């Protein structure tokens, strides 16, 4: 009967275990010094050598002639254990023997001394699968174990094992095996089997194994069964069901260049090769991870295992770091979404288009700076003329809002007509004919006119005293009716850029001294500008000065579905998104 490679070439001594140097050193010292514990827990991911180490330890503690802590594998005891012809070494699977009755039966058997060996060794694989009652029964054995008994518990999920069991056992962590160690073992076994492979084959298998030697040997086993003396990279990709590196580079290059047409064509070519989209999403995510590492590390060879390092460097050089992170963020969400999608191809193509249509941070900052510069230039000579000159197809909405500044502008003193002196009232009426001049004079600290200095230069008169003139009943309707005046006041105070952006918001609520301003989804650019840290206090300070009360401002971006959630759960229970 054919024997699988991972069984045929299973490690027979501690020295043959790959990638577990710390564990090997500790176990060998215990055997040499005869300091054997009654219970061990071997924990780690699949295929890292836990069961192999347990079998080696079972022979080492019973070996008649141990060699530097290793079993000799030549004495009678070692041979009987290797041949599985002795009843004193028992290997059981907790996944299928996880009931309390199974452990009670085990408890009745372990009290008897070994028949032929020095120690009775029980290897329990996947021990985390035991039921609560079974763990309690096992705990009683571990509390008062016979001198001849050794338990070796193997698990991939140590967090599921009760603390009472953990505290009575020695824990050994089996880490993932490095790509180099897996490659070396694969080459050794291939030579022993009388076959050969491309070097890229070993690297590809080692990377896809994710640190599991058993997984790597299973793939090699499948390749070596082909009637070929030499295995090529194409054979390995066919067995693994993955796309070629050339196609991955073509896809990633198209995404980086924002070329939707090329991206979709490459996806179609990969689809026709029969590659599963779950596998492809994982591959492309790992691909961009390698680009990220090449971009950020001075010596990426240490953790980027590839023969295409130059190609990765070329791609990394054409991208900003923030751009790579944005792409990886989309691919990370894709890897989660595609698992449960009915039509995986549509989901993958949709996210590929999303990556091609991405907006980088640099682009966003440039657009904001351009709009801000245009707005700041509006009042340089004549506000109305500047607005007409600045209108174009791309900025119609912003420019129209500034036309409103011209048409609806009022003198800032209008807010305080009820509180200012008769002299100031007369001055306000006299100046209503030329609002544009008021903006210019408000922004110039050297110009003084009768009454205007009382509004602009005297902070005590602008900031109405809360004790004497506070507006007691501030309502949402009041703020809505004053909204155009508030925007104009921002302009008069020199915040033209901010005024041009925040004017697109709508006052939607006022509760708990919080004014809610909502931007529509299409105005996300204006929202991003207004919530920048340097702009957050502009509007609250103005509103508090106007109304003489403590009102905070919260800005939100309207998104589909949020209104429905607020209707169901209440606005106070929905976090800003």
């Amino acid at each position: 009967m054919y024997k699988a490679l991972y069984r045929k070439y299973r490690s027979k001594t501690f020295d043959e275990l790959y990638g577990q140097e710390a564990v090997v050193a500790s176990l060998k010292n215990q055997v040499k010094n005869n300091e054997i514990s009654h219970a061990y827990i071997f924990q780690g991911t699949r295929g890292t050598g836990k069961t192999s180490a347990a079998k080696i330890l079972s022979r080492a503690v019973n070996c008649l002639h141990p060699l530097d802590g290793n079993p000799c594998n030549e004495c009678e005891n070692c041979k009987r254990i290797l041949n599985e012809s002795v009843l004193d070494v028992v290997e059981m699977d907790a996944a299928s023997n996880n009931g309390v009755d199974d452990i009670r039966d085990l408890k009745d058997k372990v009290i008897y001394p070994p028949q032929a060996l020095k120690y009775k060794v029980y290897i329990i694989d996947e021990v985390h699968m035991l039921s609560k009652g079974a763990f309690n029964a096992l705990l009683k054995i571990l509390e008062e174990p016979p001198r001849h008994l050794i338990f070796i518990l193997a698990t991939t999920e140590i967090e599921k094992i009760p603390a009472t069991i953990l505290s009575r056992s020695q824990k050994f962590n089996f880490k993932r095996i490095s790509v180099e160690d897996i490659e070396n073992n694969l080459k050794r076994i291939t030579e022993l089997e009388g076959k050969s492979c491309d070097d890229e084959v070993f690297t590809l298998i080692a990377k896809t194994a994710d640190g599991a030697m058993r997984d790597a040997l299973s793939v090699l086993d499948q390749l070596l069964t082909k009637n070929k003396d030499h295995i090529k990279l194409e054979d390995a990709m066919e067995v693994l069901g993955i796309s070629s590196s050339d196609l991955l580079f073509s896809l990633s290059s198209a995404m980086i260049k924002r070329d939707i047409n090329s991206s979709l064509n490459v996806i179609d070519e990969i689809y026709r090769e029969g590659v599963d989209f779950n596998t492809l999403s994982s591959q492309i995510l790992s691909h961009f991870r390698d680009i990220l590492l090449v971009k950020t590390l001075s010596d990426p060879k240490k953790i980027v295992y590839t023969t295409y390092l130059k190609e990765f460097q070329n791609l990394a050089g054409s991208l900003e770091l923030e751009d790579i992170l944005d792409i990886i963020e989309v691919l990370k969400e894709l890897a989660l979404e595609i698992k449960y999608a009915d039509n995986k191809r549509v989901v993958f193509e949709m996210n590929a288009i999303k990556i091609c249509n991405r907006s980088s941070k640099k682009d966003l900052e440039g657009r904001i700076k351009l709009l801000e510069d245009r707005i700041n230039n509006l009042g340089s000579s004549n506000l109305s003329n500047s607005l007409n000159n600045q209108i174009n197809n791309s900025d119609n909405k912003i420019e129209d809002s500034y036309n409103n500044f011209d048409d609806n502008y009022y003198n800032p003193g209008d807010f305080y007509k009820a509180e200012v002196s008769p002299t100031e009232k007369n001055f306000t009426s006299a100046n209503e004919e030329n609002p544009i001049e008021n903006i210019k004079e408000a922004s110039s600290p050297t110009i003084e006119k009768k009454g205007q200095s009382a509004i602009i230069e005297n902070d005590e008169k602008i900031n109405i005293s809360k004790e004497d003139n506070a507006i007691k009943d501030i309502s949402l309707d009041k703020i809505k009716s004053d909204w155009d005046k508030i925007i104009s006041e921002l302009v008069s105070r020199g915040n033209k850029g901010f005024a041009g952006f925040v004017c697109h918001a709508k006052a939607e609520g006022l509760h708990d001294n919080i004014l809610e301003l909502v931007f529509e989804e299409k105005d996300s650019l204006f929202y991003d500008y207004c919530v920048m840290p340097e702009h957050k206090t502009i509007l609250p300070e103005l509103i508090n000065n106007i109304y003489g009360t403590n009102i905070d401002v919260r800005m939100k971006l309207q998104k589909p579905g949020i209104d429905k959630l607020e209707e169901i759960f209440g606005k106070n229970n929905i976090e800003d998104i």
Side-chain angles (χ1 to χ4, degrees), residues 352-364:
I353 294 173
K354 187 186 297 184
I355 292 173
C356 291
N357 285 332
R358 70 192 180 279
S359 295
S360 66
K361 182 179 178 183
K362 188 175 181 181
D363 293 338
L364 180 60

Side-chain angles (χ1 to χ4, degrees), residues 366-382:
R367 291 170 62 193
I368 291 176
K369 183 68 169 60
L370 177 63
L371 291 173
E372 190 175 13
D373 289 343
R374 288 184 177 185
I375 293 169
N376 287 332
N377 290 331
L378 292 178
S380 58
S381 56
N382 183 286

Side-chain angles (χ1 to χ4, degrees), residues 48 89 104 177 187 202 219 284 339 392 439 451 464 479 481 488 492 524 542 576:
T48 51
V89 175
R104 284 174 178 168
I177 303 172
K187 291 177 182 178
F202 298 126
V219 175
I284 195 66
K339 288 181 180 179
N392 56 48
I439 295 179
I464 302 172
I479 293 177
S481 65
S488 298
S492 71
S524 60
L542 175 62
D576 291 344

Side-chain angles (χ1 to χ4, degrees), residues 34 246-247 269 399 442 455 567:
N34 198 26
D246 291 338
L247 286 176
E269 187 175 351
E399 307 303 346
I455 298 173
E567 180 182 340

